[in-house]
Amino acid sequence: MIKWTILNLFSLLLLSITSCSSETKEFNSFGDPQKQELYKAADARDSKKVKSFFTSEKKELRAAAALLCGSLQDSTLLPDLYLLLQDEDDGVRANAAFSIGQTGTSNDVAYLISWGRKEKAPAVLKELIIAAAKLFDPKINITSKEKTVGAFIYDESENEFVEFLSNVEINSEEVQIGLGYAMTYLHRNKIYAPELPRRAQFALQTASRAAKIALANGIASFNGDWFASHGAYFMQWIKTERDPDVRISLITIISKLNNNEGNDLLAAISKANNSDYRLNVQAIRLLAKNGKYKSSLAIETLSHSNDLVVLEALESLGKISASELESIAAATVSRSAQIKAIVSKLNITNGADASGEECLANYYAATNEYDKSFFLLALGQAPDRTDQLIDILLKEKSQVITYAAAQALVSIHSKDQWKGTVQFSEVIASALSLGNTGVMETFGVYLSDATEKKFHDEEMLKLDGAISAALKGLTLPRDIESYNALVRAHNAMLPNKIDEAKPTSTYQPNWDFIASLPNIVTMKWTTTKGKFTTEFYVNEAPTSVGLITKLVEDDFYNDKYFHRIVANFVSQGGCPIGNGMGGLDQPMRSEFTTLRYERGSIGLASAGKDTESCQFFITHSLMPSLDGRYTIIGKVIEGMEVVDQLTIGDRITSIDKRQMTNDKGQMTRDK
């Protein structure tokens, strides 16, 4: 009897282990045919079909339909979304509020405030608050049936939204986060009500880490005399705060004090050997903004281990002495080509290499296309090298190099420093015939801006002929960014206008493949700077995660580069031609959700709504400005310190696609 029991227990244990490691039939909610039908309707822009799910007996389908409206942004659905604010399920109401914020106008703010006064669920109230703040426009009177909410140039007696935010219960994490985001959006619209940072101060006493980050960010976006009377409070806070995501906001606040004590503290932070490079970058930027960043301080920073800090320090400099140039050159002799290129730029602008001859020599000595591009961009300050830049533009095959050459030539011409032996219009016309989308976009943007001040009538006619020919060679919808830049250039030059191309997502998702995936897809990335691990969220962005996962399985990203790095903003990669202008032939529909961009969030780059493709980016910090505008597919969960070290030209060597887990963290697939 004992032996039989032990044997059966062993068998049950073995069965349990096997079931945990094997692939199940339904890893995510897209095993439900009805949910697939709903998402197919969204892909087809069938708003009527999506709306039909608003009355589904399944709350999951009602919630999904409400959320999809935030991507469709069909204003005819607004009345029905308001009806969903009465739904019994919190998730449905929260998604409806989000989608109203994505779709509505200033006229919806009063209604959102009204619903906010009645809502008891913190998660829903958060979405109502953020939606109202996003739609808030101080220049427009907002009317509801009950009253007019006046033009919101701050007036305590009239500003209903500020009054609402000043009195709403803020005991929950969700509402505290909502307040932080609302402040950020309001302050962006120059609505500065002192009640709100005071309220945020009160909420900080009980705030979780996530709420603390949002509230600090909201306070940091405020402008006004309020900071002056609270300077001591913030100086004390920054000295004791250890969370770098909070300290970044505090650095912004200290810079707004703009006093000697605050500037001295920022100077110390800017050159310190901080483990989080973002603190240095933020301090450097804000000192430079206040005119307080000196070359002596930059020189002390050049030994920092993170290239992004050194680049920020050098790019913040203007006029400096010959001895300082020598010190900078000596301190950066063993640094990256990108750093050396900024030093070359300083040498050009400060007269040590005014002709750009040394910088051009560095270009020819560079061994890869990204390093070469750095020196070309520096030559945009050297008019004497115009003819060499033209030669590189028209003869080089690398789209990374020619893209940089075009930008350098635009820089020279825009300052009326053209020294080319041929007219710039002839150079543009010749370059447009080469089929380089990055070059087309660069020249298209330049031509569309006050063209009549740059070119004679005959030149414009010749340019337009080149534009017409270039447009015929582009592939839509893939090349929409370059196409529309050239269309805008044509429209700026000639009276016969051309319609811009409309974004069209033509990608058809493989729903069988998507349904086979776990809810959370975990992948390990190996780059030239090290390894990091990501999670992709299938339920939140099924089409996007499905495509990116399939590309990973096909080794698409192997040997692709990070082509764009903006310190304390994003690291972007995945471009098939390496300069940020490439993509797949069939772009995807945007998938906007209540996920928000924070440190380590992974989003898809786009040229506008419904143009997402294979390019991705990773955010370095909280970025409310991206929310609801770029699809979020996941997050970095390990190795963010590696992402912080990435610079332009770093390469993805491989992505381990075997690590795929379900929402319980169990291994489910082994490809």
Side-chain angles (χ1 to χ4, degrees):
M1 183 70 176
I2 295 176
K3 290 182 180 180
W4 184 90
T5 303
I6 293 174
L7 180 61
N8 277 270
L9 287 171
F10 178 77
S11 299
L12 288 170
L13 178 61
L14 182 61
L15 179 61
S16 174
I17 294 172
T18 303
S19 64
C20 286
S21 61
S22 63
E23 187 171 352
T24 60
K25 290 182 179 179
E26 293 186 8
F27 294 105
N28 57 62
S29 59
F30 293 96
D32 181 352
Q34 284 185 295
K35 186 135 187 213
Q36 286 193 25
E37 181 185 359
L38 169 60
Y39 273 72
K40 288 175 182 177
D43 289 337
R45 301 296 186 285
D46 188 346
S47 297
K48 184 177 181 181
K49 181 72 171 177
V50 171
K51 175 183 168 181
S52 70
F53 284 84
F54 286 3
T55 55
S56 171
E57 292 183 0
K58 296 181 180 179
K59 64 181 181 182
E60 294 82 6
L61 291 178
R62 298 198 305 277
L67 187 64
L68 283 168
C69 293
S71 300
L72 293 176
Q73 296 176 9
D74 181 347
S75 60
T76 66
L77 295 175
L78 280 170
D80 300 284
L81 286 170
Y82 275 110
L83 290 177
L84 286 182
L85 290 178
Q86 303 176 56
D87 195 279
E88 63 184 17
D89 182 72
D90 293 356
V92 175
R93 298 199 306 281
N95 288 352
F98 165 77
S99 290
I100 292 169
Q102 289 283 103
T103 311
T105 67
S106 294
N107 291 322
D108 293 285
V109 172
Y111 294 104
L112 291 167
I113 294 171
S114 176
W115 283 107
R117 295 188 192 282
K118 295 180 285 188
E119 182 58 61
K120 301 301 181 185
V124 183
L125 186 53
K126 177 184 77 170
E127 297 301 333
L128 287 166
I129 289 171
I130 294 174
K134 285 173 68 174
L135 296 176
F136 196 90
D137 188 338
K139 300 182 292 296
I140 298 175
N141 283 343
I142 303 166
T143 59
S144 69
K145 292 180 180 179
E146 294 82 18
K147 64 176 68 176
T148 296
V149 182
F152 292 93
I153 298 169
Y154 177 65
D155 183 323
E156 188 172 1
S157 65
E158 295 179 27
N159 196 329
E160 185 175 346
F161 192 27
V162 170
E163 185 272 331
F164 167 65
L165 292 176
S166 298
N167 291 284
V168 68
E169 286 289 336
I170 53 172
N171 296 326
S172 67
E173 177 187 61
E174 292 91 343
V175 178
Q176 290 172 352
I177 290 173
L179 175 61
Y181 276 87
M183 291 169 64
T184 300
Y185 290 124
L186 290 174
H187 297 160
R188 189 176 302 150
N189 271 330
K190 304 188 186 308
I191 317 289
Y192 303 120
E195 287 88 345
L196 298 185
R198 281 202 293 268
R199 196 89 205 280
Q201 273 186 289
F202 177 76
L204 283 165
Q205 299 175 31
T206 59
S208 66
R209 180 176 184 270
K212 196 175 183 181
I213 292 169
L215 289 165
N217 186 72
I219 295 173
S221 62
F222 184 84
N223 281 321
D225 296 336
W226 181 82
F227 284 126
S229 59
H230 293 77
Y233 168 81
F234 289 111
M235 288 296 296
Q236 180 60 35
W237 184 6
I238 196 171
K239 291 174 183 177
T240 58
E241 180 61 58
R242 291 294 171 259
D243 190 323
D245 287 283
V246 178
R247 294 196 79 201
I248 286 170
S249 293
L250 290 173
I251 288 171
T252 302
I253 293 170
I254 299 304
S255 76
K256 292 182 178 182
L257 300 175
N258 200 13
N259 56 31
N260 290 336
E261 182 185 9
N263 289 331
D264 287 345
L265 178 60
L266 295 185
I269 294 172
S270 75
K271 64 182 181 180
N273 188 25
N274 295 301
S275 58
D276 193 315
Y277 90 95
R278 297 175 299 160
L279 302 177
N280 298 77
V281 167
Q282 190 78 343
I284 292 169
R285 280 181 185 165
L286 294 170
L287 282 169
K289 182 179 179 181
N290 287 343
K292 304 295 183 181
Y293 195 63
K294 307 300 181 184
S295 53
S296 57
L297 192 55
I299 291 170
E300 291 185 71
T301 309
L302 299 181
S303 61
H304 198 284
S305 60
N306 192 302
D307 279 4
L308 299 180
V309 173
V310 177
L311 287 167
E312 192 71 37
L314 293 174
E315 289 172 338
S316 298
L317 298 178
K319 206 71 177 171
I320 54 178
S321 68
S323 61
E324 288 171 328
L325 280 172
E326 290 176 3
S327 297
I328 290 171
T332 57
V333 68
S334 61
R335 302 300 296 244
S336 69
Q338 188 176 10
I339 289 174
K340 291 178 180 177
I342 300 300
V343 176
S344 290
K345 179 180 175 181
L346 288 170
N347 283 333
I348 294 170
T349 56
N350 286 280
D353 181 29
S355 70
E357 183 176 356
E358 182 181 341
C359 186
L360 185 64
N362 288 335
Y363 162 79
Y364 284 114
T367 57
N368 71 66
E369 59 184 351
Y370 288 101
D371 288 355
K372 287 180 177 292
S373 73
F374 301 142
F375 290 107
L376 288 178
L377 292 172
L379 286 170
Q381 307 300 315
D384 289 342
R385 299 277 77 86
T386 302
D387 279 339
Q388 286 88 345
L389 286 167
I390 294 170
D391 191 59
I392 291 167
L393 171 67
L394 299 180
K395 292 182 179 179
E396 265 288 349
K397 302 301 180 185
S398 164
Q399 296 206 40
V400 172
I401 292 174
T402 50
Y403 189 37
Q407 293 176 69
L409 289 168
V410 164
S411 176
I412 291 170
H413 191 267
S414 67
K415 295 191 288 283
D416 294 324
Q417 296 176 338
W418 187 257
K419 291 188 177 183
T421 53
V422 295
Q423 292 181 326
F424 191 32
S425 57
E426 293 182 28
V427 174
I428 295 175
S430 298
L432 291 181
S433 68
L434 300 178
N436 185 319
T437 53
V439 171
M440 292 179 187
E441 189 267 348
T442 299
F443 288 147
V445 169
Y446 185 59
L447 290 172
S448 64
D449 181 19
T451 307
E452 70 280 359
K453 297 179 182 178
K454 300 168 185 170
F455 302 101
H456 301 301
D457 290 346
E458 290 183 5
E459 291 180 290
M460 287 194 285
L461 287 172
K462 184 174 182 178
L463 284 168
D464 192 61
I467 288 172
S468 297
L471 288 172
K472 293 176 183 177
L474 292 173
T475 300
L476 291 175
R478 182 193 65 197
D479 301 327
I480 189 171
E481 192 168 5
S482 300
Y483 185 94
N484 284 341
L486 291 177
V487 167
R488 288 189 288 271
H490 164 89
N491 291 342
M493 290 188 292
L494 296 174
N496 59 315
K497 307 303 181 186
I498 302 174
D499 291 335
E500 293 185 30
K502 296 283 193 288
T504 306
S505 56
T506 55
Y507 176 72
Q508 296 298 315
N510 182 339
W511 288 104
D512 289 339
F513 176 73
I514 292 170
S516 76
L517 295 173
N519 181 30
I520 299 175
V521 178
T522 307
M523 297 185 181
K524 295 194 173 183
W525 303 53
T526 301
T527 73
T528 45
K529 284 286 172 62
K531 298 182 178 182
F532 61 90
T533 304
T534 62
E535 287 182 343
F536 292 164
Y537 306 132
V538 179
N539 279 338
E540 285 72 16
T543 298
S544 303
V545 172
L547 174 61
I548 301 303
T549 301
K550 188 66 173 66
L551 291 175
V552 169
E553 292 193 349
D554 292 341
D555 295 328
F556 172 87
Y557 289 106
N558 290 7
D559 296 321
K560 295 294 188 298
Y561 293 87
F562 287 91
H563 63 271
R564 180 181 181 230
I565 308 289
V566 182
N568 197 23
F569 182 41
V570 297
S571 299
Q572 186 169 330
C575 176
I577 61 176
N579 63 5
M581 295 302 299
L584 305 178
D585 287 343
Q586 296 181 319
M588 290 181 289
R589 177 179 65 79
S590 301
E591 295 183 290
F592 304 137
T593 69
T594 55
L595 293 175
R596 293 187 167 87
Y597 282 98
E598 53 191 29
R599 178 158 168 78
S601 294
I602 305 171
L604 294 185
S606 73
K609 185 173 174 291
D610 297 331
T611 63
E612 286 82 357
S613 183
C614 53
Q615 288 191 46
F616 64 90
F617 60 87
I618 304 170
T619 50
H620 297 193
S621 295
L622 189 78
M623 288 294 156
S625 61
L626 303 180
D627 294 342
R629 297 174 56 215
Y630 296 89
T631 300
I632 296 178
I633 61 171
K635 188 176 182 181
V636 176
I637 59 169
E638 185 179 336
M640 194 62 198
E641 68 278 1
V642 174
V643 176
D644 287 343
Q645 293 289 334
L646 292 171
T647 54
I648 294 173
D650 276 321
R651 180 169 50 88
I652 302 166
T653 57
S654 66
I655 303 177
D656 185 350
K657 50 215 174 273
R658 292 175 298 174
Q659 300 295 322
M660 308 178 78
T661 61
N662 61 23
D663 55 3
K664 296 180 181 178
Q666 300 165 330
M667 187 72 71
T668 56
R669 289 169 62 96
D670 187 3
K671 291 290 183 184

